[in-house]
Each structure stands twice: as C-alpha cells, then as structure tokens.
C-alpha cells in the first residue's frame, strides 16, 4: 500500500536508509523510520493514522526526514535488525549526533506493535510536534554554542593583539588601566548608590504598605471580598473592609509579592467586566464601595 501524501507532495523519502542518514546528518533534521508489515492485521489502521492530516502536517515539517520500508525487503530486514524490532509495525524517530565526530544517532521516540496500533492520529501528531519543538530548541542551543565558540576565539585574538600592543606602549597601557580602574570604581560607586536608593524606596513602600494594611483580615464590619488574579495565573483571595481604599489593596499585593520573593515595584489593578482600571493617584484614595468593588470583585 502506497504511503500517504498531503497536497500532492509526498513527505516520504524515495532514497534508501544510507542516503537518508547522510541527508539527516547534513541537514541536522529528525529521522523518522516506519517499518511496515503488510501481513499484520492492524497494518491498514496504522496507515490510516499516518494518512491523517494532523500527522502528515508534522511529517512535512522541514526538520523531519521520513523513511517508510516494508519488512519483506532486504532494507527492511536490515533495519529491523539494526533497530532491534520486537513487534510490528514499528515507528522510531532518531536525532543526529550533537558532535560531528560521532556517528551514533539518538533514539527519541519508539512505538511498536500494539502501542503503535492503538495510538490515535492526534496522539501521534502531538508526539511528533513535541519532538520537533524540542529539536528546534536543540538546534538553537547548538547554534548558540557555535557562536559562543567563535566569540571566544575572537576575544582571544583581540586579547593577544592588545597584549602585543601593550608591550610596545607600556606607559600608555598603564595610564589607560588606571583610567579604566577609576571608571570602574566610579561605576561601582554609582551602582551601589542606585542599589541603596532602590532598597530605600522598596523599604519605604513596604513600610507604607504595613501601615495601611494593619493586622490580619477584618472579622466584623462591612466586608468586601476581593479575588486577585496574579500575572502568573495564581488566584489569591482576601477580605477587606468596604471602607478600605484601593491603596490598601495595592499594599496587600506589595507585601504578598515581597514575601514570595517577587520584585513588583509597579502594581496596576483592573476589572475585566466591566473593564475598569485603578492606576492613578486619585483612584487610590477611593474606598472599595466608591470604586464599585463592594461587596465582592475580581481584580487582575
């Protein structure tokens, strides 16, 4: 039975295993091998899975090379032995070696026999999509390492050139080093002053927040229940007095983020329906009742 295609273009290689392996190594793509057993009673079902549009869309990705072989051919028998097939049909995905000096390909997916026969097109497509995404990350990491090596080599060459120049002009080099030392010292002092200012501002915010929030949740009086949806998606609920101001809500969040090690100097509040924001100084002084947040509200 002919292997599936989508849009008239076949995603399946027409060359043999050796040629495909060379192409995979050259292009640094994933290598999918499907060993087909025509006599297997579930053979047609697996082919229908491979014919599914969701699966074909993954097989046609640029970083995927696909080889389908019948086990009743010499190449199929060779691959069955090479891949140590225990049941049919067999589908494996291999990843080319990370180092050019290595010839071993890494197995990243293996499905055979009943496990492959029972796999739905959606499940197989998801497996392939996940592999392609991880492979893309792998390629990006390899490229980053290559660029880093080039940068390190370039840096060493520049350092050697600078050293040779320094031997010819030692006095100038000493002067430059002293100027650089003074510049670094000034930057360190400026950075230290900036950090101190940031810490002081942070402590001032926290002190103000503690004063506004008081001790614990209210247990009596007119209560407003606020549910916060944090940027992480986490939901946080707390009771406030309806007479508390919007600034008290911001004080509560300021302390919450600080206790959880999150640096959040600027906090904006809004409701999703009706859409309303509470992000300026005048609104901070509104009570929860005046702001339309009582007796309960959800704030982003």
């Amino acid at each position: 039975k002919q292997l599936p295609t989508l849009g008239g273009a076949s995603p399946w290689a027409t060359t043999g295993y050796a040629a495909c392996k060379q192409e995979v190594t050259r292009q640094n793509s994933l290598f999918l091998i499907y060993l087909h057993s025509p006599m297997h009673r579930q053979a047609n079902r697996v082919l229908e899975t491979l014919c599914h549009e969701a699966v074909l869309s993954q097989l046609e990705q640029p970083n995927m090379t696909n080889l389908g072989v019948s086990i009743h051919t010499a190449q199929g028998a060779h691959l069955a032995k090479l891949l140590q097939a225990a049941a049919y049909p067999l589908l494996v995905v291999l990843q080319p070696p990370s180092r050019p000096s290595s010839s071993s390909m890494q197995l990243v997916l293996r499905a055979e026999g009943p496990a492959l026969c029972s796999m739905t097109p959606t499940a197989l497509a998801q497996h392939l999509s996940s592999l392609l995404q991880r492979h893309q990350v792998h390629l990006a990491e390899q490229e980053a390492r290559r660029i880093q090596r080039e940068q390190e080599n370039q840096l060493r060459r520049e350092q050697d050139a600078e050293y040779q120049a320094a031997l010819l002009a030692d006095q100038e080099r000493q002067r430059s080093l002293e100027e650089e030392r003074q510049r670094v010292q000034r930057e360190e002092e400026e950075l230290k002053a900036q950090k101190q200012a940031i810490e002081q501002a942070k402590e001032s915010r926290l002190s103000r927040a503690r004063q506004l929030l008081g001790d614990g949740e209210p247990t009596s009086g007119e209560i407003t229940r606020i549910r916060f949806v944090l940027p992480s998606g986490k939901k946080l609920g707390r009771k406030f007095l309806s007479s508390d101001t919007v600034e008290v809500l911001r004080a509560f969040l300021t302390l919450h983020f600080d206790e959880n090690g999150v640096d959040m100097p600027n906090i904006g509040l809004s409701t999703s329906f009706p859409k309303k924001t509470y992000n300026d100084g005048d609104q901070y002084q509104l009570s929860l009742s005046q702001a339309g947040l009582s007796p309960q509200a959800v704030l982003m």
Side-chain angles (χ1 to χ4, degrees):
K1 187 170 182 177
Q2 188 175 6
L3 287 169
T5 62
L6 180 63
S10 173
W12 298 93
T14 57
T15 55
Y17 169 74
C20 284
K21 184 178 179 181
Q22 290 179 354
E23 185 70 8
V24 164
T25 302
R26 185 180 67 82
Q27 294 185 348
N28 209 0
S29 62
L30 293 178
F31 191 8
L32 182 146
I33 301 176
Y34 171 60
L35 293 186
H36 178 65
S37 176
M39 304 302 295
H40 194 280
R41 62 180 181 273
Q42 296 287 349
N44 286 343
R45 179 175 180 179
V46 176
L47 287 177
E48 289 172 358
T49 297
L50 293 174
C51 285
H52 194 277
E53 183 176 350
V55 177
L56 285 176
S57 66
Q58 299 303 320
L59 298 181
E60 292 181 340
Q61 294 298 315
N63 285 333
M64 181 73 80
T65 298
N66 313 290
L67 176 65
V69 183
S70 170
I71 63 172
H72 297 311
T73 64
Q75 182 173 229
H78 170 71
L79 287 174
K81 182 177 180 180
L82 181 67
L83 298 173
Q84 300 180 349
Y88 298 101
L90 169 68
L91 186 146
V92 300
V93 179
L94 305 174
Q95 188 176 55
S98 301
R99 297 187 301 272
S101 59
S102 175
S103 60
S104 300
M105 303 192 77
Q106 180 183 359
L107 178 69
V108 293
L109 176 67
R110 183 185 185 100
E112 57 188 328
L116 179 58
C117 293
S118 61
M119 190 176 296
T120 66
T122 300
L124 179 56
Q126 288 175 344
H127 282 304
L128 296 177
S129 176
S130 177
L131 287 176
L132 284 165
Q133 291 175 5
R134 291 202 298 269
H135 184 60
Q136 192 64 35
V137 172
H138 174 71
L139 293 179
E141 291 173 347
Q142 282 187 325
E143 179 65 12
R145 287 193 292 269
R146 183 191 67 80
I147 293 174
Q148 182 179 6
R149 287 194 298 270
E150 290 182 356
Q151 291 175 339
E152 290 173 348
N153 291 335
Q154 178 65 20
L155 179 60
R156 282 194 291 269
R157 289 192 293 268
E158 292 174 355
Q159 289 173 337
D160 290 341
E162 290 172 358
Y163 177 72
Q164 293 299 325
L167 292 177
L168 299 176
D170 183 72
Q171 183 177 4
E172 179 64 20
R173 182 178 66 86
Q174 292 296 333
R175 185 185 65 80
S176 298
L177 289 174
E178 177 61 22
E179 290 178 354
E180 178 66 10
R181 185 192 66 79
Q182 294 176 359
R183 183 189 66 80
V184 170
Q185 183 177 356
R186 288 194 302 270
E187 289 182 351
E188 290 176 347
E189 292 173 351
E190 291 172 358
L191 182 60
K192 182 178 179 180
Q194 291 174 359
K195 288 182 177 180
Q196 289 177 344
I198 292 173
E199 288 298 321
Q200 289 174 356
K202 178 180 178 181
E203 185 56 37
S204 177
R205 289 197 307 271
L206 294 176
S207 177
R208 171 65 176 168
R210 295 187 189 99
Q211 292 176 359
L212 288 170
L213 198 60
D215 298 327
E217 297 185 43
T219 57
S220 61
E222 186 176 347
I223 301 297
T224 292
R225 291 176 172 83
I226 299 294
R227 189 178 185 85
F228 300 97
V229 181
L230 304 185
S232 64
K234 179 181 177 181
K235 295 180 176 58
L236 190 66
R238 192 185 189 278
K239 298 176 184 177
F240 298 86
L241 290 175
S242 298
S243 58
D244 285 339
T245 62
V246 174
E247 189 175 10
V248 175
L249 304 184
R250 297 178 72 255
F252 168 71
L253 290 174
T254 296
L255 294 176
H256 171 78
F257 286 129
D258 179 70
E259 291 168 359
N260 289 272
V262 178
D263 186 18
M264 191 74 67
N266 299 315
I267 297 175
L269 299 173
S270 66
T271 57
S272 57
F273 185 80
K275 183 66 176 178
K276 188 173 182 180
T277 60
Y278 304 90
N279 297 328
D280 60 54
D282 292 338
Q283 291 174 318
Y284 295 162
Q285 304 309 315
L286 294 176
S287 69
L288 302 187
S289 296
Q290 293 171 334
L293 300 175
S294 180
Q296 61 183 13
V298 177
L299 288 174
M300 310 296 289

Short mmCIF file of all heavy atoms in Angstrom, two decimals, residues 81 87 125 171 240 270 284:
data_model
loop_
_atom_site.label_atom_id
_atom_site.label_comp_id
_atom_site.label_asym_id
_atom_site.label_seq_id
_atom_site.Cartn_x
_atom_site.Cartn_y
_atom_site.Cartn_z
N LYS A 81 16.72 -5.50 12.13
CA LYS A 81 17.82 -5.99 12.97
C LYS A 81 18.55 -4.83 13.63
O LYS A 81 18.87 -4.89 14.83
CB LYS A 81 18.79 -6.80 12.10
CG LYS A 81 19.94 -7.40 12.89
CD LYS A 81 20.83 -8.25 11.99
CE LYS A 81 22.00 -8.84 12.79
NZ LYS A 81 22.89 -9.66 11.93
N ALA A 87 8.30 -6.05 17.71
CA ALA A 87 6.93 -6.22 17.23
C ALA A 87 6.72 -5.26 16.07
O ALA A 87 7.47 -4.29 15.89
CB ALA A 87 5.93 -5.94 18.36
N ALA A 125 0.43 12.84 16.36
CA ALA A 125 0.77 14.19 15.92
C ALA A 125 1.35 15.02 17.07
O ALA A 125 2.29 15.79 16.88
CB ALA A 125 -0.46 14.88 15.33
N GLN A 171 53.79 52.38 28.94
CA GLN A 171 53.41 53.56 29.71
C GLN A 171 51.97 53.96 29.40
O GLN A 171 51.20 54.27 30.31
CB GLN A 171 54.36 54.72 29.40
CG GLN A 171 54.07 55.96 30.23
CD GLN A 171 55.05 57.08 29.98
OE1 GLN A 171 55.95 56.98 29.12
NE2 GLN A 171 54.91 58.18 30.72
N PHE A 240 -11.52 42.50 52.99
CA PHE A 240 -11.16 43.86 53.35
C PHE A 240 -12.43 44.55 53.87
O PHE A 240 -13.55 44.10 53.62
CB PHE A 240 -10.63 44.65 52.15
CG PHE A 240 -9.39 44.09 51.55
CD1 PHE A 240 -9.46 43.09 50.59
CD2 PHE A 240 -8.14 44.54 51.94
CE1 PHE A 240 -8.31 42.57 50.02
CE2 PHE A 240 -6.99 44.02 51.37
CZ PHE A 240 -7.09 43.02 50.41
N SER A 270 -7.12 46.14 37.66
CA SER A 270 -8.22 46.36 36.72
C SER A 270 -9.24 45.25 36.86
O SER A 270 -8.93 44.15 37.33
CB SER A 270 -7.70 46.41 35.28
OG SER A 270 -7.19 45.14 34.90
N TYR A 284 -6.58 55.75 43.92
CA TYR A 284 -6.04 55.04 45.08
C TYR A 284 -6.78 55.42 46.36
O TYR A 284 -6.86 54.63 47.30
CB TYR A 284 -4.55 55.36 45.27
CG TYR A 284 -3.67 54.87 44.16
CD1 TYR A 284 -2.39 55.37 43.98
CD2 TYR A 284 -4.11 53.90 43.27
CE1 TYR A 284 -1.56 54.93 42.96
CE2 TYR A 284 -3.30 53.45 42.24
CZ TYR A 284 -2.04 53.96 42.08
OH TYR A 284 -1.24 53.53 41.08
#
